[in-house]
Amino acid sequence: MGLASWLILIPFLTALAVLAVPTRRSDLIRWVALVGTAAHLALTSYTTWAFWQEASPDLVAVRTETVSRVYLVERVPWFESLGIDYLVGVDGVSMSMVILTSIIIFTGVLASWNVVHRTKEFFTLLLVLVTGVFGVFLSFDLFLFFMFYEVAVLPMYLLIGVWGTGRKEYSAMKLTLMLMVGSALILVGFLAMYHANGSTTFDLTKLAQAHFETGLQRWVFPLIFIGFGILGAMYPFHTWSPDGHASAPTAVSMLHAGVLMKLGGYGALRIGVYLLPEGAQYWGLFFMAVTTINIVYGSLGAITQKDLKYFTAYSSVSHCGFVLFGVATLNLMGLKGAVLQMFSHGVMTGLFFALIGMVYGRTHTRIIPEMGGLGKVMPWLAACFYIGGMASLGLPGLAGFIAESHIFLGGFFGNSWTNPILSRTLTVLATLSIVVTAVYVLRGLATVFQGPVRDPHHAELTDATLTERLSTGILVATLVVTGMVPGLLIDLIEGTLFPIVNRLQATGMAIPGHS
Amino acid sequence: MVGQAVANVLFYLIVAVSLWLAWSVVSSRRILRAAVALMGVLGASAGLYLLLGFPFLAGVQVLVYVGGIVVLLVFAVMLTRSQELLEDHPSDLRHKVAVLAGGAFFGVHLWALRGMPSARAPRVSLPASDTEMLGRALLSTGADGYALPFEVVSLILLAAMIGGIVIARKTQPGQAATTEPVHPLAADAALTAAGSAEQLAESAPAPVSPPVREAAHG
Amino acid sequence: MLMLPELLIIATAFAVLLVDLFIAERQRGHLVLLALAGVLAALVALVTITPDTGALFGGRFTMDPLAWWLKLTLLAAAAVTLTLAQPMLATHKQAPTLGAGSEFMTLLLFNLAGMLMLPSTRDLVFFYVALELATIPLFLLTAWRRESLSSEAGLKYVLMGALSSALMLYGLGILYGVGRTMNLDLIGRNLFPSPPVIMAIAMVFAGLGFKLTLVPFHMWAPEVYQGAPTPVTAWLSVASKAAGLSALMLLTYRVFPRLLPQWGLYLALLATVTMTAGNLAAITQTNIKRFMAFSAISQAGYLIMGFLGAGPNGPASMVFYLMVYAVTNLAVFAVIALHHQQTGREDITSYRGLSQTNPILALTMMVGLFGLAGIPPLSGFVGKFFLFSVASKAGYNWLVGIAAVNSTISLYYYLRIIRQMYIEAPDPELPKLTTPRLLGTALAVTTLASVTLGLVPWVFESVRFSAAVWLEAMPK
Amino acid sequence: MPDLSFILSHAWLIPALPLASFLLVGLVLRPLHKPLAGAVATAAVFAAAGLSWWLAFDYLHLPKTAGGALPVLVPTSVEWLRFQEGLSVHLGTLLDPISVMLLVVVTTVSALVHLYSTGYLHGEDGYGRYFTFLNLFTFSMLGLVLAPNLVQMYVCWELVGASSFFLIGYYYDRPSAVSASKKAFIVTRFADLGFLLGILVLGYYAFTIHAGMGAAAAGQQALDFAFLTRPDVLSQLQALQGQFLGIGTLTLAAVLIYTGGAGKSAMFPLHIWLPDAMEGPTPVSALIHAATMVVAGVYLVARSFPIFAASAEALQVVMVVGAFTSLFAATIGCTQDDIKRVLAFSTLSQLGYMMFALGVASYEHPLGYTASMFHLFTHAFFKALLFLGAGSVIHAVHTNNIWQMGGLRKYMPITHGLFLLATLAIAGIPPLAGFFSKDEILAAALHSGHTVVFGVGLLVAGMTAFYMFRIYFVTFWGERRLSHLHHQDDHSHDDHSHADPHESPAVMWIPMAVLGLLTIGAGFVPIPEWVRLVPLDGKLPEAHHGVDLAVAIPGTLAGVIGIALAWFFYAGDPQRANSAVLKLGRFYAVIKAKFYFDEIYLFVTKSIIFRLIAGPIAWFDRMVVDGLVNATGWVTRLGGTAVNASQTGQVQTYGSWLMSGVVLAVVVLWATTRQ
């Protein structure tokens, strides 16, 4: 078994290990989960190194290629007659996503240290969910991809339903069903591609070499993009996100907003744009427009929210809009920005939800106007919140800026086949959101943390504990390091994106009527 | 020629009688009358077999259906309280739907069989004695034999018999009503009809039994 | 050797009936073991001795590779059904029991025998007779419980069954009239699309659609499922479907191979209506058996997607899905039966908090339900995926879309049960369930199978290989 | 670059010092030992200041270019963010006269303010936090000054904004400070949007040009100032055909970039944040909102002047907005009662001065460019001094309201002297620093033919003298008004009101004294000789020397008149001022209310954006979009009920269905079967 398989397997084995612990030993359960995820983090670091060893010599060569290279590949034939393999591997984009997930789950376990209700089931489900997430990021066979995709989505139902708050059953059901509708669309697209290619295969690397006829690309692409877009909270299919996030327990919100929503952008890029370049070109502008709505609408929607989680969820809608917007720009900077945004938003929103959970754990309210002056009481949490907030409004030096600047440049630069006026107008509209983001982030944070302490009970509260400091600290550090040294991530992902862009450009030249 | 003409006349006669009786089977609200009419229909079918030159089949038809099944039916009817067996008044909608469905089926049927290719095909030469042929065929195990289906039929009959006996037995020793259930809660359910029916009435929008439904309508 | 499984089953049936006469009342519970032994013997015989090709009775009884898989499924399902019924049969003195245990088993085994023969039939008479043997005992078994719901269900089943049988027989008659031979392999040569043939096919579809619970021939299912004793429901949901599918496959691939591709639209519509109606109706159910009926109806809709398009993937996917469906459904019914047996409750809300009182049972139930919903990595997903793939390949992408959306709807109602089990607090009035060893084993086996069938490639690959061989041998 | 001295080739050390100190103080020292945190932070900035002076010295001794100008160096350039080939961002240091000048100004003022703050904030809770952000600010400002490309500029631009935000909100439990900090951040952010769009526009076209140039552009990135200001690139940019709303592309880019500068430099109508920003501690106001950050906008325009010069319209905008702002702010400045607010409006006004000086500059009349930079230089010192002086006063009397002060010259002689010095400087009285630079600006306006602007400048000079001396007289002259006023409204502060105000400690007045020296001396620094607009051909014309009496005399006269008026109204009988105010009536009230700009903004944000846009969107999302989702579920359920309704429980119905099914099957099958 290779590294990629281990990356998928470790969380699953940890889940089994958690299951094996007696239910009463909730402390042991937590430690098992923590050790498992820590081991995963270590393995991820090693894998990153190993990946870099293999990939870095190719960085020049891939600039002109049209098929992404995959490294650390493991292929085991599965349903041979149907062209289904167990095919896992790593490329730059997936590597960055794995790093993200690994960080989030580790900090997520830390952040759920105080889960006392049905601890065992909680951690088991959490780990199963992450198994699915890693599977999605690492699999290069569409069948396997889809399989893991749903594994990643479904535990969410119980995680929200059992450990959530508020209208949890409703939210959980809505979330699950909407995401499942998305996966239904994806499934249709997958199968259409699978059969359209003369030699039936689900192997992504082989599908990438096949040429799909234009008509097919044009109808399959929107299915794939919307299907994944639902998970990426694309307007108007985003409404599961506020409710779901608001109801979910801390670690689940973290994972969901931090990682799971990234599956949307990842899929749209990796499968939609990569396999269906002509379809992408045909629909690119349309989806740019839709996601522009996302960006602006989400940020405006966040302004008036009273609940911290709804607030963050709407901001996620806006930020995930950036991801899909970046994907829809179809040029190097946009795609790179999309991946960077996935990473940075993942960390950022993970941080947010972790913090919200911690604040909620103390104040027992998430209603913004009921809080105030908490900065004095819990300076650590306040500081982290502000750093997260600054990242989300795209302050340079933090990860958000790196991503957003790429996306704006990508959107503004446009493509040879899109109408420049339209794409630029959309980009300009999208940039408006950075002001709106500043408005709601500062308003929200100011209300919660600044001013006089509103509720006298809150003055008694304590600042973050050691585990909480560790989890938030890691996330903050990630945000800062990514923002300060973006080259690390960019080097990692660029090699994978060149081929995608080259394909787009190659087909873009060939489209008659587009120039 | 004359034989042919007579056969034709007879055919149409039998068909007409058969249709008339069949109609009264479904339209009559008195069950006994319907049973008798059914007997007539079955008899008419026997007549058709005769006309087609299958006397054995005609005989079996009379013996089994007319002599056996319908008589059994009549006995059953007479042994039960006739009030229960009175067909309820079908609702208007149901009536129309039924007529429509039946009519459509019949229409489609006519359309389909209009072009039945072998309707006028020359008859396959009949063996001298179809009884013998049937007997041989039923017991032969070769390519032309039907021993296997024959045996299977016996299984069906055996199954029907066993089932009939078990179901018809009035009460069994150790039935629900007389003994204590395992769990106190199971008692509710053990009064099965009551338990489940109540649940059902609460839960399922559709009432289970037609009489209940009709009563509610009426 | 070809008929060994069938013969073993019939022999067991008689043995059970006879032994019952000679043993004491309290020992009758052990009869289940006898029956089970017989079924398992047949299973072993099928796997080890019976060749997967060959003919008896001048070709009337023919073994083919696909029939082998169907028989395997049926035998396994019967074994599980017997273990499901075991608590009811064994606790002879206690209500709610089935009573007349040996007769029950005999009928079940007869029924099984009929179903086993069905895919091996090669002429119209045998086909019809086997089909009846696969049907009539079911009527009786449905009405077995002596209470009004069960009787009513039995009555409805009989009436509807009779109607569908009549249609079926009529259709077969027309086919014989047009095709002028009883032999299924030869009859197709004489069939050309003409109104009578179409009519006949429609009626055959109605008759088999009745067994497969295809809409609109499904109406009996909810009441029968609900009214029948739970083990019978389990058996019904699996075996009736298996019989229907094997019969339909027999007729379509053997008799109308040339016409089948043209009926894509009809099949697609049938599948659409079936899965949609089944799913929609299931949403509002509160009785779990009735609910499972609608679930089964919708599953039938997915199942017949395999008839679309050409090539071995279609039949292979259908048989594979049938196997998956059988084990998964039986796992679910095992829990339902156990629950019903010990609490006397059938409403969905009675599953409240099961995950806390009986975590293992809840887990298996969840795995089963997720399997039915087609959630990866359970084999229910894999099976469904293959069926969808077949439809997609045939160009019915819209159908795949509808089916996938339907899966989502189905997920909604499966999640309703999971919600009861996992999210709601337990009902303090309900007892903690105890799992009899035999049933526990069956539950474990079916659950394990429902997880692994789709993950282990060789099951599907073997089925597909068989299907390819089977298709090769078809009359052209 | 051959044989650069150590400091020139390691100019990155200057921002690196405060950065290191920021990390050290913020992460390690702040929680551990507060006084040490302050000391380390201050020491780091002092070290940076030392290095800057050293660097300036070395830089001025570099050999001049062939054209006679000081060389432009980029000794450090490290790739940081690679957007794509040709568009990657390098972090580096750009040394040219203006950046070196600003380097010195920023580090010097910052060091003095750091020192001052150790006294000013002594013993406060947020002491460590304060120095953390002050370090961060210093670092970001230095990064901004040294930026060799637009993106680094933007990055540091945002960072100074953020540190300014945190410093304004230093008293975070005070709602007014919180809202002021938000306002400052959001308004400047809004302006930065323009900057960002400018970068996008310019980036796109520059990149296109860059790509078209091939090897000729090797080693340069599209957004480097060095690339953007190349004559061949500029001419290509100028030749762009693209039009947007009738505005040429280059003009559009320049105006957008200017928007960013206007936000930071608080030009009308984006000026509203600056007066409110005075909620921060006074040293912060001195450093950020007077001497350094707010001039970033001016610096940005100067830095990218060749681009503006290529578009006459853009320069026109710069000039008009600058001139208007200077007049507008001066008007309001005459009416305010808060000492810091008056200073803030004076800052606005002076920034307007610098802006319009740039606006009147061109390659034909390059004096404005020099003058603007010169004024930026001198203004930094005397304005910082004014603020520190005000801070010293506030520190002593615990109020910002000038009418609660009075007579302070008796109690605080050092502060008084230094404040007077700075006030004279801003009033343009020779030979103080302000006189020289103001004179130069006015001269630039006059000589470039913008007579109206010159007039406005003259008027503003007079008004500046007036309102500055107004606060001077009210604060330092007359009787002490503090005690009884204080008694009236706040009994809790009794201990303060009874004690007499006293002079600030040495750590506070020593930095002020240093600034005082600089205020006196800055005018004699030959900035105009060093900082000159280099023509596109690189050949500098003869330098303009000496004071132009035709400008100097009216300028000084205006100042004197202003002082005299202020003396007349405020030094003696307060009734004079009151009656004048009464005569002005509503007009005065409108000005005093700052022309109701805050209210307009509040209306737009609260009532229009929040209530009319954000609120409805949130509602729409919950009700309509989510409603549709729920409706889908509802319809599905309804379908379920409908299907269930067909399940009547009657076999007859079922039979009907079955038959109909057959009929339908026949129809469909027949329709699809090919004969």
Side-chain angles (χ1 to χ4, degrees), chain A residues 343-462:
Chain A
F343 189 87
S344 78
H345 176 253
V347 179
M348 188 161 79
T349 204
L351 175 64
F352 268 138
F353 280 115
L355 290 166
I356 292 171
M358 291 166 194
V359 170
Y360 179 72
R362 291 171 169 74
T363 61
H364 300 290
T365 178
R366 289 195 316 248
I367 306 302
I368 297 173
E370 288 178 8
M371 293 183 259
L374 294 183
K376 205 171 211 85
V377 191
M378 31 189 101
W380 175 279
L381 297 183
C384 292
F385 234 123
Y386 266 97
I387 295 174
M390 286 294 160
S392 85
L393 56 80
L395 187 76
L398 298 170
F401 168 75
I402 309 295
E404 286 178 13
S405 57
H406 271 97
I407 291 169
F408 290 145
L409 278 168
F412 198 84
F413 275 44
N415 273 310
S416 54
W417 55 83
T418 34
N419 180 337
I421 304 286
L422 287 178
S423 67
R424 280 174 207 166
T425 311
L426 291 172
T427 311
V428 171
L429 286 174
T431 55
L432 283 179
S433 80
I434 66 170
V435 180
V436 184
T437 307
V439 172
Y440 70 76
V441 166
L442 295 187
R443 258 170 61 96
L445 294 188
T447 318
V448 174
F449 291 106
Q450 302 188 326
V453 180
R454 196 155 304 160
D455 187 335
H457 299 296
H458 291 174
E460 317 291 316
L461 300 174
T462 51

Side-chain angles (χ1 to χ4, degrees), chain B residues 109 143 145 170 200 203 208, chain C residues 60 146 152 156 170 226 286:
Chain B
H109 205 90
K170 202 75 178 164
L200 194 75
S203 57
V208 193
Chain C
R60 266 178 225 287
R146 298 185 55 75
E152 182 188 324
K156 281 181 183 166
Y170 196 178
Q226 187 183 358
T286 52

Side-chain angles (χ1 to χ4, degrees), chain D residues 34 120-128 170-171:
Chain D
K34 279 184 183 165
Y120 188 84
L121 291 169
H122 187 72
E124 290 204 15
D125 270 354
Y127 191 78
Y170 171 72
Y171 297 111

